[in-house]
Amino acid sequence: MNLDIDSRVKARTLSVAQQQLVEISRALSVNSKVVIMDEPTSSLSQKETDILFDIIRDFKKKGITVIYISHKLDEIFEICDRVTVLKDGVMTGTKNVTETTKEEVISLMVGRELSQYYPKRDYISNDEVVFEAQNLCAGRLVNDVSFQVHRGEILGFAGLVGAGRTETVRAIFGADKLTSGKMYVCGKEVKNGSTKKAIKNGIALATEDRRSEGLIMTLSVRENTTMANYKSFSNGLAVINHRKEKEITLDYVEKMNTKTTGTEQRVINLSGGNQQKVVISKWLNTGAKLFIFDEPTRGVDVGAKAEIYQHIVDLADEGHGIIIISSELPEVLGISDRIAVMHDGKITGFLGREEASEDKVMRLALLGGEAG
């Protein structure tokens, strides 16, 4: 797997991508006739994905059967021979990959065409700034970053792995330390020395790793939904009003269309898409002015993706500022009103919805300041 790590280190000390590669290595080490891979590339870079695909091709030559589960259609069309689509536990069709299209597969998955995948939106640019970053610096991957998010705007962040997108929003949220720069929420300067202060200042961050940072997996849907805003559910003695908690949670379960047996179900038993809906519900409950979504649809099926996109657009339509980070270019292009592209810790350019294309984004992401 080309893993450059000491075999004696604890798995918990590895990055999410390295943990994923170790898990894949464990599965491959068994001399099996059938190998089932469930979202194996969800945390892998393109280079690591290419290595995995070479291994799968080698398996095919040796007569080993691979069942490959993925929500990434590009992967299905690159590595698979046939594709079977499931919707709500029912098989809706099986196609030879060479005899079908992405549009047809998506239609089988969600009952709609590709053109209907992203919500239609008529955003009109305005001068009201919800959030402004001025010359932010934090470690090696946040270097003099400046940008604004306007009222009702969805600002997408694009770039390659290691470009500094996640590091930038973590510094904004107080999860990592800023070394210099200023931040403003609705014109007022804020200093987010901690995540608690960031929440108080009206900023919410749905992190890219929902299982270790976005949720407490052993707790219930209710506990996860309300944990970022306990003050509104407690009296002066810090006693939690569980009835009020349950009412609010039920409201968000209905609003987000979360598939759960009830508010007391543990989130570890939910699907990835429903876990992500609980994460979003948690931050909606804070009433933030700026919502940051880092890889909001990672490991989520196409139907849940469409629902999450709609919730993000609804938030923007209500006047909130939105930042969305995604490694999937079609997602950034499909949902964003404006795109900031990062390369090596710096923003190398901004693209409006009308002018943005995969080619222009990739040039800025790969070449940085040389893209022009």
Side-chain angles (χ1 to χ4, degrees), residues 29-46:
S29 67
V30 183
N31 189 22
S32 304
K33 294 180 179 178
V34 177
V35 177
I36 303 173
M37 296 185 177
D38 190 357
E39 296 288 347
T41 66
S42 60
S43 300
L44 302 186
S45 68
Q46 188 58 52

Side-chain angles (χ1 to χ4, degrees), residues 301-362:
D301 68 71
V302 173
K305 279 186 177 184
E307 288 183 297
I308 290 171
Y309 295 148
Q310 187 60 60
H311 290 305
I312 291 173
V313 166
D314 289 344
L315 275 175
D317 288 344
E318 290 169 9
H320 300 278
I322 310 291
I323 293 175
I324 181 169
I325 297 172
S326 178
S327 298
E328 298 184 33
L329 260 184
E331 182 168 88
V332 176
L333 292 166
I335 195 73
S336 304
D337 301 310
R338 195 164 51 101
I339 299 172
V341 186
M342 292 193 71
H343 171 82
D344 198 23
K346 296 180 180 180
I347 292 180
T348 54
F350 293 92
L351 297 168
R353 176 188 286 273
E354 300 302 323
E355 63 178 320
S357 66
E358 291 197 25
D359 179 66
K360 288 180 179 179
V361 171
M362 286 307 297

Side-chain angles (χ1 to χ4, degrees), residues 87-88 109-110 112 116-119 252-259 271-274 276-277 280 284 293 296-297 300-315 331 335:
K87 176 177 169 57
D88 296 329
M109 295 171 84
V110 297
R112 69 188 79 176
Q116 301 172 293
Y117 195 38
Y118 298 102
Y252 280 115
V253 165
E254 183 178 347
K255 186 182 296 183
M256 299 294 294
N257 193 27
T258 308
K259 303 290 193 300
S271 69
N274 287 301
Q276 189 69 0
K277 290 178 182 180
I280 295 173
L284 289 178
F293 298 98
T297 62
V300 170
D301 68 71
V302 173
K305 279 186 177 184
E307 288 183 297
I308 290 171
Y309 295 148
Q310 187 60 60
H311 290 305
I312 291 173
V313 166
D314 289 344
L315 275 175
E331 182 168 88
I335 195 73

Side-chain angles (χ1 to χ4, degrees), residues 104-304:
E104 186 175 18
V105 172
I106 288 174
S107 183
L108 288 171
M109 295 171 84
V110 297
R112 69 188 79 176
E113 300 300 325
L114 185 60
S115 59
Q116 301 172 293
Y117 195 38
Y118 298 102
K120 290 184 178 179
R121 183 158 192 268
D122 297 318
Y123 168 70
I124 300 174
S125 181
N126 62 79
D127 295 330
E128 189 175 346
V129 178
V130 172
F131 177 82
E132 181 174 3
Q134 291 183 357
N135 310 111
L136 302 186
C137 295
R140 187 182 67 83
L141 287 178
V142 185
N143 187 4
D144 197 28
V145 172
S146 299
F147 64 90
Q148 293 180 335
V149 183
H150 296 88
R151 177 179 170 85
E153 179 184 35
I154 300 175
L155 177 65
F157 268 73
L160 304 179
V161 173
R165 298 166 301 163
T166 293
E167 289 78 6
T168 297
V169 298
R170 284 179 61 85
I172 289 170
F173 191 62
D176 294 336
K177 186 178 179 181
L178 273 177
T179 53
S180 64
K182 293 183 178 182
M183 296 184 293
Y184 300 85
V185 175
C186 296
K188 179 183 176 182
E189 185 176 358
V190 297
K191 297 180 186 292
N192 297 335
S194 67
T195 56
K196 184 178 179 180
K197 285 186 178 179
I199 294 170
K200 186 178 179 180
N201 289 326
I203 300 175
L205 169 61
T207 59
E208 62 176 334
D209 186 356
R210 61 176 170 267
R211 294 181 67 86
S212 66
E213 294 181 334
L215 298 165
I216 298 179
M217 303 302 291
T218 55
L219 295 186
S220 67
V221 172
R222 170 182 58 81
E223 291 165 310
N224 274 282
T225 300
T226 60
M227 67 169 58
N229 192 23
Y230 268 134
K231 282 189 177 181
S232 64
F233 301 100
S234 61
N235 60 20
L237 300 175
V239 177
I240 302 297
N241 183 334
H242 294 301
R243 181 184 60 80
K244 188 176 179 183
E245 263 194 314
K246 184 175 180 179
E247 288 176 358
I248 292 293
T249 303
L250 282 171
D251 183 48
Y252 280 115
V253 165
E254 183 178 347
K255 186 182 296 183
M256 299 294 294
N257 193 27
T258 308
K259 303 290 193 300
T260 174
T261 58
T263 60
E264 300 309 305
Q265 182 176 11
R266 294 199 303 170
V267 295
I268 196 172
N269 296 320
L270 300 179
S271 69
N274 287 301
Q275 287 175 356
Q276 189 69 0
K277 290 178 182 180
V278 175
V279 172
I280 295 173
S281 298
K282 176 182 73 174
W283 292 116
L284 289 178
N285 187 37
T286 66
K289 297 178 177 67
L290 174 71
F291 287 91
I292 305 171
F293 298 98
D294 192 353
E295 303 287 359
T297 62
R298 173 176 285 170
V300 170
D301 68 71
V302 173

Side-chain angles (χ1 to χ4, degrees), residues 69 83-93 105 108-110 301:
I69 302 169
V83 54
T84 292
V85 179
L86 291 169
K87 176 177 169 57
D88 296 329
V90 178
M91 191 174 82
T92 58
V105 172
L108 288 171
M109 295 171 84
V110 297
D301 68 71

